[in-house]
Amino acid sequence: MTPVVGQMLKWGRGLLVAAVTSFVAFAPATLSANEVLESRLAALLGQESEALSAIPDRRLAALTSVPIPVERAASAPTEFDYTNDFLASLPAASGDSHWQCLAEALYFEARGESTRGIFAVGEVILNRVDSASYPDSICGVINQGTGRKYQCQFTYTCDGYAENINEPRAFQKVGKVARLLIDGMPRELTDGATHYHTKSVNPSWARRFPRTASIGYHYFYRQPTQQARN
């Protein structure tokens, strides 16, 4: 209820009380109390109706209409699209150390891939985080085995080369992918894959693991249950 309408109703109730009191004091004795009230109420409602009719329709509608809720922009997208245009529509991403680890992994492992390919590599990393066979954090998964040359899980962390980010636009793109995946974007591309390799190589484990997807320059595989490490 708006303040103006409320004030009008308050004014009307005041008139009603005053009118009923006055009428009861001077009403003929032959009228019952109910008849007095009904008569005065009818008169008062008629007065209020006349007062309201004097207010322009547009003003009256503004005073009595229910406010329309303000639509607020969502803090995160509710629909996802594996395209450059979709990523370009998002604000620049940032995050904690785990976001940084994932963004760097996507930059060094998949920045030359299609957008779908970048998301797919990110899925593998997060699938490992969810698996009991691997460390339970993003940075833990990415840095597993780091320190032993070519004995790590992700080659860029142990190949002996400096990890310099020389393509800021590419890093901005993979940073958005990392943000979406960490924030819960559905992992629908690789069917639970925990491994991948480029199509130019043929590692021995690839013959034992079921292949789940072929995206861009990579094949994706899911580690069989019997291969899981305790």
Side-chain angles (χ1 to χ4, degrees), residues 36-51:
V36 171
L37 290 174
E38 290 176 1
S39 176
R40 294 306 301 164
L41 182 60
L44 180 60
L45 291 176
Q47 294 172 6
E48 290 186 354
S49 178
E50 291 180 3

Side-chain angles (χ1 to χ4, degrees), residues 171-191:
F171 186 77
Q172 184 181 62
K173 177 180 178 179
V174 299
K176 293 179 181 181
V177 174
R179 183 75 271 163
L180 289 168
L181 288 169
I182 291 174
D183 288 346
M185 181 172 180
R187 298 175 222 160
E188 303 173 333
L189 296 175
T190 63
D191 192 20

